[in-house]
Amino acid sequence: MKTIEVDLGDRKYPIYIGEAVLSDQILMDKHITSNQVLIVTNENVAPLYLKRLEESLSNASHEVLILPDGESTKSLDSLNQIITCLMEKKYSRTCILIALGGGVIGDLTGFAAACYQRGVKFIQIPTTLLAQVDSSVGGKTAVNHPLGKNMIGAFYQPCAVLADTNVLSTLPEREFSAGLAEVIKYGLIRDISFYEWLEENIELVIKRENEALTYIIERSCMNKAEVVAQDERESGVRATLNLGHTFGHAIETALSYKDWLHGEAVGCGMLMAADLSMRLRLLEQEQVDRIKALLLRANLPTKIPKGIKLRSNA
Ligand code: NAD
Ligand code: GLY
């Protein structure tokens, strides 16, 4: 097991990465310091991993809230459901919330933890690659408003992140590749030797070979942890984590957040950003081609979806 620390002074926390961390009772005992524990998960993840988590919580009594799958669960209604559950069970300020799922469950549960009684502890157990390398780390929590994504939220850090590489075995291929876009992003923004490693080893990653998985999650989290420690609230360097996201959001908006996954839009958006940089003479064509080749090998789209019209003022 690898451990990385997100160094935020008295709010610092560990990220544990490895096979079977979900079943690590010692790790759970260390971080579950309350007898009031609420696990929040969804109907897709619960049948796969809830039992495993409950078995490792042997010493703590707990409740479970299973929500519907999908982005629409990141809503004020779901937030209300979590808060109602906590209040009905008379959970105090020392309770702990556990998010078991992808970025949707993680963002929602984190925000609920930030709100309940002005802030209670929460643990992230991310089960998608995207959540393990990005959304579970760094404390961005939110729900969506009908007029905009992530519009209601808070910067609120978890007290631990447990990234179990075993759970990635059940992740659909498209979801896995979408997570890889964020992994490639770290190489592009600040870690060229990691980028070169990905170019050499992407096939091992695609095969989900455990050592390769542990390595990419570790290296991605290390990069994210360093950036977040420097600029927790995105007033400077943290904005580099948004590489490809401006073009990506444009694609997602044009598709009404349907058909393409977030990571797919970000992957294509990174290539569009590279292309723009080339037009501004900041990158060479050869470098753009290199980025495109890696995205293709990671099974990510490199052309904007058919039907989106490009408008030019030229
Ligand atoms: P998701 O949570 O919807 O999960 C994707 C799908 O995979 C879902 O159907 C889910 O049920 C399923 N799933 C999860 N784990 C599985 C497993 N182990 N095996 C099989 N299926 C599994 O999507 P996501 O891509 O994880 O996260 C997207 C969300 O994350 C968006 O809401 C986005 O805004 C947010 N996000 C947040 C940050 C941040 O910094 N907080 C960063 C990036 C994205
Ligand atoms: N996903 C971008 C960030 O956490 O800042």
Side-chain angles (χ1 to χ4, degrees):
M1 185 177 71
K2 306 280 181 184
T3 308
I4 289 165
E5 194 143 276
V6 184
D7 187 2
L8 288 167
D10 57 1
R11 289 173 298 121
K12 73 174 178 214
Y13 57 93
I15 305 167
Y16 303 103
I17 303 156
E19 281 185 286
V21 290
L22 184 56
S23 316
D24 190 328
Q25 217 169 316
I26 297 170
L27 213 56
M28 293 295 173
D29 285 349
K30 183 172 172 190
H31 290 284
I32 303 293
T33 49
S34 169
N35 252 331
Q36 294 183 318
V37 179
L38 177 67
I39 302 170
V40 182
T41 186
N42 77 23
E43 61 199 6
N44 204 4
V45 175
L48 295 169
Y49 301 113
L50 179 58
K51 190 161 174 272
R52 225 177 276 181
L53 172 58
E54 288 186 290
E55 280 168 0
S56 59
L57 287 181
S58 56
N59 290 333
S61 63
H62 62 272
E63 303 288 338
V64 180
L65 183 60
I66 301 177
L67 296 168
D69 188 27
E71 183 70 29
S72 57
T73 289
K74 237 176 85 170
S75 66
L76 280 174
D77 276 354
S78 306
L79 174 71
N80 195 30
Q81 247 180 288
I82 298 176
I83 303 291
T84 303
C85 178
L86 294 167
M87 291 187 69
E88 281 176 352
K89 304 289 176 201
K90 301 199 182 333
Y91 273 25
S92 73
R93 288 186 69 188
T94 58
C95 74
I96 297 182
L97 272 57
I98 301 180
L100 175 70
V104 166
I105 290 294
D107 281 14
L108 166 70
T109 308
F111 187 49
C115 295
Y116 188 60
Q117 301 207 25
R118 302 191 182 91
V120 298
K121 282 187 183 175
F122 86 108
I123 294 174
Q124 288 270 22
I125 305 189
T127 60
T128 62
L129 181 60
L130 181 136
Q132 295 191 347
V133 300
D134 188 2
S135 64
S136 66
V137 175
K140 280 189 182 175
T141 72
V143 295
N144 302 326
H145 184 276
L147 296 180
K149 200 166 141 59
N150 294 329
M151 279 295 145
I152 310 160
F155 284 96
Y156 193 71
Q157 303 292 341
C159 57
V161 179
L162 276 65
D164 186 329
T165 52
N166 282 348
V167 304
L168 298 180
S169 63
T170 51
L171 198 62
E173 273 176 30
R174 267 187 77 192
E175 296 286 355
F176 185 78
S177 286
L180 278 182
E182 303 283 1
V183 172
I184 292 169
K185 176 188 80 180
Y186 295 112
L188 285 173
I189 60 174
R190 68 195 305 276
D191 193 347
I192 184 64
S193 65
F194 181 39
Y195 189 81
E196 287 164 356
W197 184 93
L198 286 168
E199 287 184 316
E200 273 168 36
N201 296 285
I202 194 78
E203 277 72 32
L204 291 179
V205 176
I206 299 279
K207 278 190 208 148
R208 307 188 200 184
E209 199 271 326
N210 189 63
E211 216 176 302
L213 284 183
T214 305
Y215 181 68
I216 61 163
I217 298 164
E218 181 192 6
R219 196 88 178 223
S220 298
C221 288
M222 198 189 75
N223 276 293
K224 182 150 188 185
E226 282 175 12
V227 172
V228 168
Q230 282 174 49
D231 177 24
E232 185 184 2
R233 286 174 172 258
E234 200 173 303
S235 52
V237 71
R238 186 162 181 171
T240 60
L241 297 176
N242 300 332
L243 174 67
H245 284 60
T246 308
F247 287 113
H249 284 152
I251 294 172
E252 289 180 293
T253 305
L255 295 175
S256 307
Y257 288 89
K258 292 183 188 122
D259 299 335
W260 275 32
L261 300 173
H262 174 71
E264 293 173 327
V266 166
C268 190
M270 289 194 297
L271 186 60
M272 292 165 82
D275 182 67
L276 176 63
S277 300
M278 184 196 66
R279 288 163 198 252
L280 295 171
R281 300 186 194 284
L282 298 166
L283 278 186
E284 302 293 332
Q285 178 69 53
E286 194 188 316
Q287 292 166 308
V288 180
D289 292 345
R290 207 173 139 190
I291 295 169
K292 183 174 177 180
L294 185 57
L295 292 170
L296 284 171
R297 286 167 68 204
N299 300 321
L300 284 160
T302 54
K303 287 190 182 133
I304 60 167
K306 287 193 183 103
I308 294 187
K309 289 195 180 68
L310 288 177
R311 208 170 56 196
S312 165
N313 292 329

